[in-house]
Amino acid sequence: MSQNLTAPVAKDPGGKGGKLTAARAKLTYPKVLLILAGALVLLSLLRVVTGATDLTGSGQYTAALNAAVPIGLAGLGGLWAERSGVINIGLEGMMMLGAFSAGWVGWEYGPWAAALAGVIGGALGGLIHAIATVTFGVDHIISGVAVNIMALGLTQFLAKLWFGAEGSAAAQAGGNDKQSPPMDDMPTFTVPGLSDWLLSIEKHHWFLVSDLAGILGSLVTHVSWLTVLAAVVFAASFFVLWRSSFGLRLRSCGESPVAAESLGVNVYTYKYAAVLVSGALAGLGGAFLAIYVHIYQDGQTGGRGYIGLATMIFGNWRPGGVAMGAGLFGFMDAFQLRGGGETVHALLLLLAVLLVGLAIWKLRGGHRVQGVVSIVVAVLLALWYATTDTVPLEIVSVAPYIATLLVLSLAAQRLRAPKAIGKAYRRGQGK
């Protein structure tokens, strides 16, 4: 085996040279922390100006964290598949299979068994996608769409058969054609002392201090153990994919499978492994949704698999970026759970200010059209904020999808997908 594929770290898997490496090195951890600190200051100022206390309230961030976990797991699943060169549009369907499997097992055996069942259900969806794309060379997009359609029909059929059958144990326990019987609660943990102290500081509404306390309080109060598991999975994925020879070989399959094969890598094996892990992670995300509300429900995923795919792209196919994107979209998704019309209304003002800053930057760079468009949109948002007191719930419900489009449009210029992603590969084609 060549030294290139056994080294623990790959500095430039795309072979683009020093320019790509230097460009990626610009976003260092201190800069990320500075960005997060700036975002906290902006939110604190916005809370003071608008009076929307939910912007930094512990309740909002608890809901955001719970909303971010399934999105993040789906995005991480997409990352595993696409780093091996396989596009996984089927994340939504794999989440459906995971949620259904969790509901099926969970009402009889509890939430931990439900989580395991969700992983297995999602992995089965990933196996179908891997067989179609890796073994038979089916177009990745077509296969992913087929998985989504198949999962929707299969879960609806099995729900009627297993949960809604007249006289069945599931029906007597509260199941029906659209949902499973309820399952037990997933255990949570609270850090004693620290939780109460942070929440007491939050109630004073001090500038910045109370805002930080509210956010930190959500991280130590009634946190699900599945959330902790998700954090561990993110950290483990980073170390496996970027700090191990296995991860280097897997990523080489997504950059140049022919070159990887020439160095002795079994490309099919690594692609299968990646897509199976991808499905398992998406299935765990679906299981989290079912466990969180104690039942499986028809339509429970609500497009979160597609949002997870967007977080993967926004995160530039890296676990840290996926986590940040999931946090952002989870924050927006939480508004639906908390009826956040006033909070979204306050964000209109923040978005207007940010667009003015973007316009100035574009105009200074000579991009006049983009600068003018940004100013026009900023003015319209400012007028909307000034002439209304809240935002209709219909707009609140689509806020996550609007945020998805905005973020991807702004991040599009810095993105770099794996080089061989979505390309057909047959064993021995480089000979």
Side-chain angles (χ1 to χ4, degrees), residues 67-95:
V69 170
I71 294 173
L73 287 171
L76 189 64
L79 183 149
W80 271 83
E82 300 206 0
R83 277 293 179 177
S84 72
V86 179
I87 298 174
N88 192 357
I89 300 294
L91 291 170
E92 178 77 4
M94 296 169 197
M95 287 189 79

Side-chain angles (χ1 to χ4, degrees), residues 179-332:
Q179 67 180 45
S180 69
M183 69 180 80
D184 294 334
D185 290 339
M186 168 63 70
T188 61
F189 76 90
T190 298
V191 179
L194 180 60
S195 172
D196 294 334
W197 178 63
L198 289 172
L199 296 180
S200 66
I201 294 176
E202 178 193 358
K203 294 176 182 178
H204 290 288
H205 299 300
W206 295 328
F207 175 72
L208 199 59
V209 176
S210 292
D211 302 303
L212 181 60
I215 295 172
L216 294 178
S218 67
L219 302 178
V220 295
T221 306
H222 300 303
V223 179
S224 170
W225 284 107
L226 270 185
T227 302
V228 178
L229 176 62
V232 171
V233 167
F234 266 88
S237 293
F238 171 77
F239 282 103
V240 170
L241 292 175
W242 272 269
R243 294 293 185 268
S244 72
S245 56
F246 172 86
L248 179 57
R249 295 186 186 103
L250 187 148
R251 288 184 294 125
S252 72
C253 295
E255 298 292 347
S256 179
V258 173
E261 183 186 42
S262 70
L263 294 172
V265 174
N266 189 327
V267 176
Y268 279 16
T269 298
Y270 280 89
K271 285 181 179 288
Y272 260 91
V275 180
L276 281 172
V277 172
S278 175
L281 291 173
L284 181 59
F288 184 95
L289 292 171
I291 295 169
Y292 180 63
V293 297
H294 307 114
I295 56 173
Y296 159 77
Q297 293 175 307
D298 185 32
Q300 194 164 40
T301 56
R304 288 175 177 85
Y306 300 113
I307 298 179
L309 196 65
T311 66
M312 177 202 67
I313 298 171
F314 164 74
N316 212 7
W317 289 266
R318 304 208 37 118
V322 172
M324 291 180 64
L328 172 62
F329 297 129
F331 180 76
M332 301 301 295

Side-chain angles (χ1 to χ4, degrees), residues 90-91 93-94 97 125-126 128-129 142-152:
L91 291 170
M94 296 169 197
L97 293 172
I128 294 171
H129 189 51
I142 294 174
S143 174
V145 172
V147 168
N148 290 338
I149 296 172
M150 177 209 69
L152 177 62

